[in-house]
Amino acid sequence: MYQAKASGRNSLRFFDPAMQKALEERILLESELRLALQKDAVVLHYQVQVDEHLKIIGAEALLRWQHPRRGLLEPGHFIALVEETGLIVPIGHWVLESACKQLKAWERNPFSCDLQLAINVSVRQFRIKNFVNEVRKVLNETGANPARLKFELTESLVIDDVVDTVEKMQALKKLGISFAIDDFGTGYSSLAYLKRLPLDQLKIDKSFVRDIIVNKNDAVIVQTIIGMATSLGMDTLVEGVETVEQQDFLSLAGCRAYQGYLYGYPVPLADFEQQISRQVISVSS
Ligand code: C2E
Ligand code: MG
Ligand code: MG
């Protein structure tokens, strides 16, 4: 029935044992995930973000699931399910709370007190009616400085309901939170919407970086995005930088902030805190 509905309704689908197996796996994964939330098996890893001098300016918090049998799982293995089942709401709340607690803890350390921490906010979480109040409450309870907190939204979230998005973004912005558009360039970016949103940063998607050395078009696209962002008063950060050659190319194209394996993988908190004690990342080709 679900398959028939997913294919546009008013159609027939025949039962296939493979469907049953996929369904059983899904149900198992969902119950395991609910348990994981109670057992602190869901954790955040942190990936550094650096400026043009490779000084650490912040981090992105990325979700990981310490699965009892399958080991450490990246979001690609479970985020779709988390979205579909609505589990993204409690998980998203947990991410927000954990990030705020972390920011508060970092205030005590001179190496981390100036860092910006970015979290990914999913469409379902953002659309909760009282999302703004929820954020306000978490900020009050944790005492985190909202100026250090950044929300990453996707282009699809923004265009899904522009009126609601603008309203909530403006209210959150008043609290002091900043905003980045994630994976920029992969969606249906509408310039008309972009200029209506109180955005601080465009995060240029890693797909433009991968072939930047061999594909001149990618360099032009990156340059164009940076020019447009600057004109609209936003800054830019490029994600997915893996080699010094890519970094050099991007620097020529006008990039001033980077994130990628070249500077550091997403790592557990203890490793991240070791990284930031070095303050500046050194890279070699
Ligand atoms: P994203 O927000 O675009 O995060 C960047 C992804 O790129 C991360 O994958 C990161 O590990 C990966 N990455 C970083 N540097 C490089 C690089 O140099 N090369 C390559 N090839 N990849 C790189 P990850 O951790 O698997 O996360 C995937 C996606 O899952 C994220 O994409 C984000 O959309 C989602 N996600 C992660 N954490 C959360 C969360 O807490 N809440 C929500 N709603 N979504 C999350
Ligand atoms: Mg992101
Ligand atoms: Mg991204």
Side-chain angles (χ1 to χ4, degrees):
M1 181 185 74
Y2 287 123
Q3 295 275 330
K5 278 186 173 175
S7 66
R9 295 165 176 263
N10 202 18
S11 61
L12 285 174
R13 284 291 180 273
F14 289 98
F15 177 76
D16 175 345
M19 281 184 195
Q20 180 68 25
K21 192 162 178 283
L23 190 68
E24 281 165 9
E25 275 171 14
R26 241 185 80 120
I27 292 168
L28 177 67
L29 204 64
E30 190 184 337
S31 68
E32 285 177 333
L33 197 51
R34 285 186 194 277
L35 204 67
L37 259 181
Q38 291 163 15
K39 288 193 158 180
D40 298 332
V42 174
V43 292
L44 287 179
H45 280 194
Y46 298 83
Q47 186 178 31
V48 287
Q49 297 180 334
V50 298
D51 70 8
E52 59 202 296
H53 309 294
L54 308 192
K55 180 178 178 293
I56 298 174
I57 48 174
E60 178 174 5
L62 293 156
L63 205 53
R64 298 289 181 264
W65 175 11
Q66 191 62 61
H67 191 278
R69 284 174 289 110
R70 295 164 65 192
L72 191 71
L73 295 184
E74 291 174 355
H77 296 276
F78 61 91
I79 204 87
L81 179 76
V82 165
E83 296 264 358
E84 275 171 44
T85 53
L87 272 173
I88 193 66
V89 176
I91 290 184
H93 182 86
W94 175 85
V95 170
L96 172 69
E97 206 171 34
S98 310
C100 287
K101 283 182 186 160
Q102 199 50 63
L103 277 172
K104 187 67 195 165
W106 282 346
E107 279 181 10
R108 290 194 297 268
N109 181 339
F111 292 131
S112 52
C113 62
D114 292 330
L115 296 181
Q116 277 256 324
L117 184 56
I119 62 170
N120 295 283
V121 178
S122 83
V123 61
R124 210 151 162 182
Q125 188 187 2
F126 195 80
R127 291 284 171 252
I128 301 171
K129 209 160 168 266
N130 59 357
F131 181 64
V132 176
N133 279 336
E134 178 189 323
V135 175
R136 189 182 288 118
K137 192 161 170 266
V138 171
L139 284 170
N140 286 340
E141 282 168 4
T142 57
N145 179 358
R148 303 261 156 252
L149 186 62
K150 184 155 60 189
F151 285 175
E152 294 192 3
L153 312 177
T154 57
E155 290 168 83
S156 54
L157 178 150
V158 169
I159 58 169
D160 159 74
D161 183 346
V162 184
V163 176
D164 181 68
T165 304
V166 172
E167 214 177 274
K168 284 190 176 138
M169 279 178 80
Q170 278 168 348
L172 292 164
K173 190 104 196 141
K174 273 197 191 138
L175 297 180
I177 292 166
S178 53
F179 288 95
I181 289 278
D182 206 354
D183 307 335
F184 187 76
T186 57
Y188 298 98
S189 316
S190 155
L191 298 181
Y193 292 155
L194 271 187
K195 72 170 201 238
R196 281 177 61 189
L197 303 171
L199 280 168
D200 303 273
Q201 185 177 66
L202 296 186
K203 276 190 89 174
I204 302 175
D205 189 64
K206 49 183 172 291
S207 59
F208 301 113
V209 179
R210 198 178 45 227
D211 301 325
I212 200 155
I213 306 293
V214 287
N215 186 342
K216 288 266 159 42
N217 289 345
D218 285 338
V220 174
I221 291 171
V222 170
Q223 246 166 348
T224 310
I225 296 176
I226 293 170
M228 181 195 70
T230 312
S231 318
L232 291 169
M234 298 174 219
D235 65 40
T236 44
L237 181 146
V238 187
E239 58 182 4
V241 184
E242 295 183 1
T243 67
V244 175
E245 290 74 22
Q246 288 171 341
Q247 177 193 275
D248 292 346
F249 229 85
L250 288 162
S251 165
L252 276 178
C255 298
R256 296 291 172 261
Y258 308 92
Q259 180 181 342
Y261 297 159
L262 181 62
Y263 317 102
Y265 290 94
V267 288
L269 179 67
D271 299 346
F272 178 75
E273 288 184 334
Q274 277 218 320
Q275 270 176 359
I276 55 176
S277 65
R278 292 195 288 273
Q279 286 194 291
V280 175
I281 298 278
S282 59
V283 298
S284 51
S285 28

